[in-house]
Amino acid sequence: MKQRVIAVVLTCLLVLLMVSGCTGTTTGFAPAGSSENKKLVVGTNAEFPPFEYIDDNGKPDGFDMALIKAIGEKMGKEVDIQNMEFDSLVSSIGTKIDLAIAGMTVTEERQNTVDFSDPYYTAVQYVILPADSEIATYEDLSGKAIGVQLGTTGDFDASDIEEADSSTKVSRYNKGVDAVNDLLNGKVDCVIIDKNPAETFVSKHAEELVAVDGSQFGFEEESYAIAMPKGDKELVDAVNKALQEIKSEGTFDKLVEEYIGN
Amino acid sequence: MGELEQKFAAAFLTEGRWILYFKGLGVTLGIAVLAAILGVIFGTVLGIMKLSFREDGKKTLWNILATAYVDVIRGTPSVLQLLIMWFIVFATWNNGVAVASISFGLNSAAYVSEIVRGGILAVDVGQMEAGRSLGLSKAMTMRYIILPQALKNMVPPLGNEFITLLKETAIVGYVSLTDLTRAANQIASRTYEAFMPLIGTAVIYFVVIKILTLLLGVLERRLRESDQR
């Protein structure tokens, strides 16, 4: 009996040691791109056309990718893009990646854990509906089955609706396209997602689906920005400076035209 | 320590987040139990099918079908099977727990069939001969002599299979179900702290499986009570 007690205590100690060791390394670990390094490790979630998607060659491409490469060039760093789940992005900043660019909306909650660059794009959430849907107002959304991508602004909006009316069912997918698939199969009544991916998805199913501007539903306009480790003022300043230069040179507008249109 | 407490509170207490873990655990256990029931029933049928041979020693049609099924299931990743079930086979069926249970049940059946087959083969062939020479039919010998002994052989690997199944359900987040693992992901995507939800969830899985292991131990001991060894 005594031996067993000792064994349990030792196991607990070992686990604790491992766990505390992990936290120690996360906080003390210097990100790969700190100033002495030539590489800028960028995290994204390539499931968000036209901002980021996997191109025909299997590489992440899109507006954000082109933008961050231009920024990297200005900073004199080689951009290394890591594709991961959207909801893993913020907790990876500062450890696995130097910064994240993924059509990420600036929110107060996120600002508690990361610092954002100047916003580079403003957008509003869109609602994708079946062409014959009767949903037309914010009130119509309550009690419905809503599809979203986990951890996105659409998820937060849908969660608000769910909180106000618990009969609302929110399905959270890893990818926007999965949500749209289930909308086509009739498993959800609508999908709340950012404007540009909404339009991209609807253009592929123009017969069955429509995308409605979320401002009609009272969703607020939001700004996309690049997320960086909290308190890394040097990096934030460098990125903002590069972004400013790209804008004043006209490269930014060219990228908007190339990838986003309108 | 103050920071850790704060993180703990953010991950488990604020906004009643513990409810989300609870509901998630419910989904995890629900799918695992339903899938296990389906897996054991269907798996036993498959296992017996895989044991059927013709007089000349060749495989029967049943045997060939069951073997092919087991090959396909074991030869493809379960996450892929789940996605195929959700997006293709049951494309319009909206009951996620049911679809996941069927998917995992069909998957588990393949593994259970091997356990059943192994359990029956482990009973000495003399037992069948003895039963037959006492005038029992083949089916009766199976039912009253072979299977009760085979069952004891099958309990440990079946327990193993159930534990694997329980943990494998962690992939149902792919089809937008909120199981325990997904609940942790969802909370991490709100608090932007992955540490507490992930470690906490690991502890929950561990405790549940530890309890399960203890229960299986009790069951095994009960089954062995009549053994004179």
Side-chain angles (χ1 to χ4, degrees):
Chain A
M1 191 63 207
K2 208 172 170 189
Q3 273 178 329
R4 284 184 75 177
V5 172
I6 294 170
V8 168
V9 170
L10 279 178
T11 317
C12 291
L13 270 177
L14 193 68
V15 170
L16 266 177
L17 262 175
M18 275 165 62
V19 165
S20 57
C22 295
T23 39
T25 43
T26 5
T27 43
F29 176 66
S34 41
S35 50
E36 69 274 7
N37 203 313
K38 280 263 155 216
K39 245 186 182 174
L40 187 67
V41 185
V42 174
T44 194
N45 170 244
E47 300 287 352
F48 194 67
F51 288 91
E52 41 266 327
Y53 49 86
I54 302 290
D55 69 8
D56 295 338
N57 301 321
K59 296 231 168 66
D61 195 8
F63 176 77
D64 283 350
M65 301 301 99
L67 179 63
I68 200 66
K69 275 177 196 153
I71 289 174
E73 213 169 282
K74 290 274 175 219
M75 291 166 67
K77 284 184 180 177
E78 193 192 326
V79 172
D80 174 17
I81 293 168
Q82 305 270 334
N83 187 16
M84 53 177 78
E85 302 293 333
F86 186 81
D87 62 298
S88 309
L89 278 173
V90 175
S91 38
S92 304
I93 292 170
T95 51
K96 294 200 163 51
I97 54 178
D98 296 317
L99 54 81
I101 183 164
M104 193 179 281
T105 305
V106 181
T107 65
E108 253 174 59
E109 288 158 301
R110 285 180 182 148
Q111 273 168 328
N112 288 333
T113 26
V114 294
D115 281 343
F116 281 104
S117 68
D118 297 332
Y120 61 86
Y121 198 80
T122 53
V124 71
Q125 291 294 306
Y126 264 45
V127 183
I128 308 182
L129 297 166
D132 57 356
S133 174
E134 282 168 4
I135 296 172
T137 65
Y138 188 79
E139 285 70 38
D140 290 344
L141 290 171
S142 82
K144 295 290 192 302
I146 306 173
V148 296
Q149 189 182 357
L150 178 64
T152 59
T153 311
D155 181 2
F156 302 148
D157 287 337
S159 301
D160 290 342
I161 299 168
E162 187 184 31
E163 227 160 78
D165 177 0
S166 59
S167 68
T168 313
K169 185 175 171 272
V170 182
S171 296
R172 298 174 177 88
Y173 300 85
N174 289 351
K175 314 182 212 171
V177 65
D178 285 346
V180 173
N181 242 326
D182 270 3
L183 178 65
L184 287 167
N185 285 331
K187 288 187 182 183
V188 293
D189 300 315
C190 64
V191 171
I192 304 177
I193 198 163
D194 291 59
K195 175 188 174 192
N196 299 92
E199 285 176 341
T200 309
F201 290 137
V202 167
S203 70
K204 302 222 161 90
H205 302 278
E207 302 270 289
E208 303 112 290
L209 301 176
V210 287
V212 183
D213 189 325
S215 48
Q216 289 183 35
F217 290 84
F219 295 137
E220 278 168 29
E221 198 166 76
E222 52 191 301
S223 314
Y224 294 167
I226 301 164
M228 284 165 280
K230 185 101 189 136
D232 192 345
K233 204 169 171 321
E234 204 182 319
L235 183 61
V236 176
D237 288 346
V239 167
N240 279 340
K241 190 166 154 271
L243 188 62
Q244 202 50 53
E245 281 173 34
I246 290 163
K247 276 186 176 165
S248 57
E249 281 168 7
T251 321
F252 187 87
D253 290 332
K254 240 191 273 168
L255 291 179
V256 170
E257 206 173 300
E258 184 182 343
Y259 286 98
I260 306 175
N262 62 48
Chain B
M1 201 62 203
E3 197 196 358
L4 264 188
E5 278 163 12
Q6 223 175 346
K7 282 185 186 171
F8 181 84
F12 294 102
L13 305 176
T14 22
E15 296 178 25
R17 287 196 169 121
W18 57 275
I19 300 172
L20 207 57
Y21 293 98
F22 241 98
K23 283 188 181 163
L25 182 60
V27 171
T28 294
L29 288 175
I31 294 172
V33 169
L34 287 174
I37 294 171
L38 179 66
V40 166
I41 296 172
F42 188 40
T44 307
V45 175
L46 283 174
I48 292 172
M49 279 163 77
K50 285 194 78 171
L51 282 169
S52 81
F53 289 92
R54 291 197 322 219
E55 299 289 318
D56 58 6
K58 286 202 178 121
K59 287 178 171 183
T60 59
L61 178 64
W62 293 119
N63 192 333
I64 292 166
L65 284 176
T67 308
Y69 178 85
V70 172
D71 275 355
V72 170
I73 293 290
R74 289 205 301 196
T76 50
S78 48
V79 63
L80 209 56
Q81 293 165 12
L82 179 68
L83 289 172
I84 289 171
M85 283 290 172
W86 178 254
F87 285 113
I88 300 171
V89 180
F90 296 113
T92 54
W93 193 17
N94 208 358
N95 190 336
V97 172
V99 173
S101 301
I102 292 173
S103 179
F104 283 109
L106 293 181
N107 177 283
S108 183
Y111 295 90
V112 169
S113 77
E114 289 297 281
I115 295 171
V116 169
R117 196 170 69 94
I120 293 173
L121 285 178
V123 177
D124 195 284
V125 70
Q127 300 278 329
M128 175 60 92
E129 285 163 3
R132 300 287 280 144
S133 65
L134 286 171
L136 295 174
S137 74
K138 214 172 169 182
M140 281 171 84
T141 320
M142 199 40 130
R143 164 79 185 78
Y144 293 105
I145 296 176
I146 310 282
L147 280 183
Q149 298 179 72
L151 195 65
K152 283 185 199 174
N153 296 332
M154 290 189 268
V155 169
L158 277 181
N160 205 5
E161 170 61 22
F162 183 65
I163 287 168
T164 309
L165 182 61
L166 185 75
K167 289 182 293 183
E168 210 167 89
T169 59
I171 57 173
V172 295
Y174 273 92
V175 295
S176 83
L177 283 173
T178 310
D179 72 318
L180 186 52
T181 303
R182 191 60 157 192
N185 275 335
Q186 210 169 307
I187 285 160
S189 80
R190 297 287 189 284
T191 61
Y192 305 110
E193 275 302 339
F195 182 79
M196 277 293 169
L198 292 184
I199 298 291
T201 305
V203 170
I204 298 173
Y205 273 110
F206 178 80
V207 169
V208 168
I209 287 169
K210 186 71 206 173
I211 294 171
L212 206 68
T213 312
L214 293 175
L215 291 177
L216 281 166
V218 172
L219 177 68
E220 238 180 274
R221 241 170 292 137
R222 289 264 170 89
L223 283 172
R224 295 241 176 265
E225 246 164 30
S226 59
D227 283 11
Q228 310 276 323
R229 285 188 188 178

